[in-house]
Amino acid sequence: MTTKPRARRPRKSAADAPSASGRAAPKYDPVGSSPYEQPTIRRPRRARMAATALAPAGTRSAANVGVRGVEIVQVIQALDNRVRLIAGKPTIVRVYLDPATVAASTLVTGEITWRRANGGAFYLAAMNRVKLDPAGTPDLMGQRFDVAESLNFVLPADALGAGSIELRLDHLNVPGGEKLPLAAQPAMIANFVAAPVLRIRAIGLRYRSTNAPTATITPGAIHFDYLRSYLTRAYPVAALEWSQIVIDGDRLRPPFGSNQSILVNAQLSALRMREISSGMDPRAHYYGLVDNEAGKSFMRGSALYDEATTIFGAVACGPCGVPNGWTGDSDASFADWYGAHELGHTFQRRHPGFPTFDPVQGTGQPRDNLETTFPYAGGLISSPAQEFVGFDFGDPALGLQMRALPGNIHHDVMTYADSQWLSAYTYEAIHDRLVHEDTALAPPNA
Ligand SMILES: [Zn+2]
């Protein structure tokens, strides 16, 4: 890509093209319009020195700011950007700057350009500013582990369509001030691939409490919301086809025995068959939620499994409730990662065997004999070299912050270990299964 011309700014006539922030600028109607409503299409600020020296003097004479690496991230990524990018899925470009090239602590922000094929380039401003400090900025691993230590660019929806875009770090500057010296940066190619939608029918199962016989226990809306959000954020899809209902659980009575989830799956299977015969998409996976009655009635989850064919069905169920710190989870629901695990089974994912099973204590996870290729020691989402780092966009509606997920403490969702996320291994495998089901199980006239 070395022969590509330098990116140009969009021409001024393109007032309805996305602005630098990725939003469409308002159209300017010269007739009957207040002059105050004119769109700002001029670049808002040229980098320049303020009257009082804004930048530490050292930054002006320093060598070019170095770039340690750039990751284009959706769920999990490596520095060589080998993990598939799904078209339409929220995407962040993380730039890791080398603090050795500034003489003193300096706030830095900047812009990238992105362009599709031979189209015009769009400027995109960073969503944050980073403090580049020769004494305080962590090493590359530390930068990847902390979303506040990378310069972050959220790609606009226009950039996420199927196909390739070219990205380039254009410049760095002190916020509102002068540009920092930066060598011309190489272009990167981000290739977005369309993925099937994830079809989930979430079924809340109601039951009568034995602790308080007049009470009916029903999963709250928050648990559905957390599961839906987590699947949207962590699964290899850009979109969910989601529906939810609450029904009475057949033979669902606490205290729950060890086969309770098998009974629930039988009910869900029958429901799924009936609904598919009356028009439900046969690619829909069904997931049952059973509230844990504030910890008093815990139903262990499971997925439908055919021992003879060694194939999982498209039906699973699990508990929901408030985790109170269980497995490192302190938000309002554990239905999210628990459900993502059980649904992972319905996409033919198996137990990799972490934490190591202890047959005496009965703790840990027995490894599924058919799971022979899980790549990471300890069930983590990365090798010890930290080739992979996870990333969670968060969900403002649920108060969940955007954060990086260090690969040395986060475990694959198919383990029983704490702090779960999808490893690249599980991410790619679920994607492959979704692609398979999308055609193999498609309704005959769809
Ligand atoms: Zn499992």
mmCIF file of all heavy atoms in Angstrom, residues 301-303 312 341-342 345 349-351 365 413-416, ligand 1:
data_model
loop_
_atom_site.group_PDB
_atom_site.id
_atom_site.type_symbol
_atom_site.label_atom_id
_atom_site.label_comp_id
_atom_site.label_asym_id
_atom_site.label_seq_id
_atom_site.Cartn_x
_atom_site.Cartn_y
_atom_site.Cartn_z
ATOM 1 N N GLY A 301 -26.743 -25.051 35.395
ATOM 2 C CA GLY A 301 -27.142 -25.036 33.991
ATOM 3 C C GLY A 301 -26.602 -26.223 33.212
ATOM 4 O O GLY A 301 -25.704 -26.932 33.667
ATOM 5 N N SER A 302 -27.145 -26.422 32.034
ATOM 6 C CA SER A 302 -26.606 -27.425 31.116
ATOM 7 C C SER A 302 -27.171 -27.179 29.729
ATOM 8 O O SER A 302 -28.122 -26.412 29.556
ATOM 9 C CB SER A 302 -26.937 -28.850 31.569
ATOM 10 O OG SER A 302 -28.301 -29.144 31.336
ATOM 11 N N ALA A 303 -26.574 -27.840 28.762
ATOM 12 C CA ALA A 303 -27.065 -27.779 27.391
ATOM 13 C C ALA A 303 -27.522 -29.172 26.985
ATOM 14 O O ALA A 303 -26.997 -30.178 27.466
ATOM 15 C CB ALA A 303 -25.976 -27.283 26.448
ATOM 16 N N PHE A 312 -24.410 -31.356 20.414
ATOM 17 C CA PHE A 312 -25.277 -30.570 21.286
ATOM 18 C C PHE A 312 -26.502 -30.108 20.501
ATOM 19 O O PHE A 312 -26.412 -29.801 19.302
ATOM 20 C CB PHE A 312 -24.543 -29.324 21.801
ATOM 21 C CG PHE A 312 -23.483 -29.616 22.837
ATOM 22 C CD1 PHE A 312 -22.142 -29.734 22.471
ATOM 23 C CD2 PHE A 312 -23.810 -29.757 24.175
ATOM 24 C CE1 PHE A 312 -21.158 -29.989 23.415
ATOM 25 C CE2 PHE A 312 -22.835 -30.014 25.135
ATOM 26 C CZ PHE A 312 -21.502 -30.125 24.749
ATOM 27 N N HIS A 341 -21.862 -19.168 28.275
ATOM 28 C CA HIS A 341 -21.225 -20.490 28.391
ATOM 29 C C HIS A 341 -22.171 -21.583 27.890
ATOM 30 O O HIS A 341 -21.801 -22.389 27.034
ATOM 31 C CB HIS A 341 -20.833 -20.730 29.852
ATOM 32 C CG HIS A 341 -20.349 -22.127 30.141
ATOM 33 N ND1 HIS A 341 -19.021 -22.419 30.336
ATOM 34 C CD2 HIS A 341 -21.012 -23.303 30.264
ATOM 35 C CE1 HIS A 341 -18.889 -23.727 30.551
ATOM 36 N NE2 HIS A 341 -20.091 -24.282 30.529
ATOM 37 N N GLU A 342 -23.404 -21.590 28.428
ATOM 38 C CA GLU A 342 -24.334 -22.654 28.033
ATOM 39 C C GLU A 342 -24.671 -22.567 26.548
ATOM 40 O O GLU A 342 -24.759 -23.580 25.864
ATOM 41 C CB GLU A 342 -25.609 -22.592 28.886
ATOM 42 C CG GLU A 342 -25.390 -22.767 30.396
ATOM 43 C CD GLU A 342 -24.668 -24.053 30.781
ATOM 44 O OE1 GLU A 342 -24.625 -24.997 29.954
ATOM 45 O OE2 GLU A 342 -24.130 -24.118 31.908
ATOM 46 N N HIS A 345 -22.085 -24.091 24.398
ATOM 47 C CA HIS A 345 -22.282 -25.528 24.154
ATOM 48 C C HIS A 345 -23.189 -25.749 22.942
ATOM 49 O O HIS A 345 -22.928 -26.626 22.119
ATOM 50 C CB HIS A 345 -22.909 -26.198 25.374
ATOM 51 C CG HIS A 345 -21.969 -26.387 26.540
ATOM 52 N ND1 HIS A 345 -20.710 -26.929 26.392
ATOM 53 C CD2 HIS A 345 -22.122 -26.116 27.864
ATOM 54 C CE1 HIS A 345 -20.125 -27.000 27.590
ATOM 55 N NE2 HIS A 345 -20.951 -26.485 28.495
ATOM 56 N N ARG A 349 -19.324 -26.005 21.504
ATOM 57 C CA ARG A 349 -18.108 -25.762 22.287
ATOM 58 C C ARG A 349 -18.131 -26.644 23.527
ATOM 59 O O ARG A 349 -19.196 -26.854 24.132
ATOM 60 C CB ARG A 349 -17.987 -24.271 22.698
ATOM 61 C CG ARG A 349 -18.028 -23.271 21.567
ATOM 62 C CD ARG A 349 -17.295 -23.714 20.326
ATOM 63 N NE ARG A 349 -15.921 -24.134 20.581
ATOM 64 C CZ ARG A 349 -15.253 -25.038 19.862
ATOM 65 N NH1 ARG A 349 -15.823 -25.644 18.848
ATOM 66 N NH2 ARG A 349 -14.018 -25.343 20.164
ATOM 67 N N ARG A 350 -16.952 -27.112 23.922
ATOM 68 C CA ARG A 350 -16.835 -28.095 25.005
ATOM 69 C C ARG A 350 -15.945 -27.564 26.124
ATOM 70 O O ARG A 350 -15.273 -26.549 25.968
ATOM 71 C CB ARG A 350 -16.252 -29.390 24.442
ATOM 72 C CG ARG A 350 -17.163 -30.031 23.419
ATOM 73 C CD ARG A 350 -16.501 -31.176 22.667
ATOM 74 N NE ARG A 350 -17.394 -31.644 21.614
ATOM 75 C CZ ARG A 350 -18.370 -32.534 21.802
ATOM 76 N NH1 ARG A 350 -18.541 -33.084 22.987
ATOM 77 N NH2 ARG A 350 -19.170 -32.889 20.814
ATOM 78 N N HIS A 351 -15.913 -28.316 27.234
ATOM 79 C CA HIS A 351 -15.118 -27.897 28.389
ATOM 80 C C HIS A 351 -13.638 -28.159 28.147
ATOM 81 O O HIS A 351 -13.230 -29.308 27.973
ATOM 82 C CB HIS A 351 -15.572 -28.654 29.643
ATOM 83 C CG HIS A 351 -16.943 -28.278 30.092
ATOM 84 N ND1 HIS A 351 -17.713 -29.082 30.904
ATOM 85 C CD2 HIS A 351 -17.679 -27.158 29.864
ATOM 86 C CE1 HIS A 351 -18.869 -28.483 31.147
ATOM 87 N NE2 HIS A 351 -18.873 -27.312 30.526
ATOM 88 N N GLN A 365 -13.115 -28.392 36.643
ATOM 89 C CA GLN A 365 -13.891 -28.784 35.468
ATOM 90 C C GLN A 365 -13.221 -29.971 34.765
ATOM 91 O O GLN A 365 -12.081 -29.850 34.310
ATOM 92 C CB GLN A 365 -13.948 -27.596 34.491
ATOM 93 C CG GLN A 365 -14.754 -27.858 33.236
ATOM 94 C CD GLN A 365 -14.646 -26.711 32.242
ATOM 95 O OE1 GLN A 365 -13.567 -26.378 31.751
ATOM 96 N NE2 GLN A 365 -15.764 -26.079 31.950
ATOM 97 N N VAL A 413 -14.705 -18.386 28.239
ATOM 98 C CA VAL A 413 -16.088 -18.536 28.712
ATOM 99 C C VAL A 413 -16.487 -20.006 28.859
ATOM 100 O O VAL A 413 -17.428 -20.318 29.598
ATOM 101 C CB VAL A 413 -17.038 -17.768 27.760
ATOM 102 C CG1 VAL A 413 -17.193 -18.515 26.429
ATOM 103 C CG2 VAL A 413 -18.391 -17.495 28.397
ATOM 104 N N MET A 414 -15.772 -20.919 28.211
ATOM 105 C CA MET A 414 -16.139 -22.332 28.323
ATOM 106 C C MET A 414 -15.482 -23.016 29.535
ATOM 107 O O MET A 414 -15.697 -24.201 29.760
ATOM 108 C CB MET A 414 -15.812 -23.086 27.030
ATOM 109 C CG MET A 414 -16.586 -22.605 25.801
ATOM 110 S SD MET A 414 -18.378 -22.340 26.053
ATOM 111 C CE MET A 414 -18.931 -24.008 26.454
ATOM 112 N N THR A 415 -14.665 -22.303 30.298
ATOM 113 C CA THR A 415 -14.095 -22.860 31.526
ATOM 114 C C THR A 415 -15.074 -22.633 32.682
ATOM 115 O O THR A 415 -16.144 -22.033 32.503
ATOM 116 C CB THR A 415 -12.772 -22.166 31.893
ATOM 117 O OG1 THR A 415 -13.036 -20.818 32.298
ATOM 118 C CG2 THR A 415 -11.794 -22.165 30.719
ATOM 119 N N TYR A 416 -14.684 -23.081 33.873
ATOM 120 C CA TYR A 416 -15.406 -22.728 35.097
ATOM 121 C C TYR A 416 -14.619 -21.691 35.891
ATOM 122 O O TYR A 416 -14.856 -21.502 37.083
ATOM 123 C CB TYR A 416 -15.612 -23.963 35.983
ATOM 124 C CG TYR A 416 -16.629 -24.966 35.489
ATOM 125 C CD1 TYR A 416 -16.695 -26.239 36.047
ATOM 126 C CD2 TYR A 416 -17.540 -24.651 34.491
ATOM 127 C CE1 TYR A 416 -17.623 -27.176 35.619
ATOM 128 C CE2 TYR A 416 -18.467 -25.572 34.058
ATOM 129 C CZ TYR A 416 -18.508 -26.840 34.616
ATOM 130 O OH TYR A 416 -19.439 -27.763 34.195
HETATM 131 ZN ZN ZN B 1 -20.559 -26.233 30.489
#
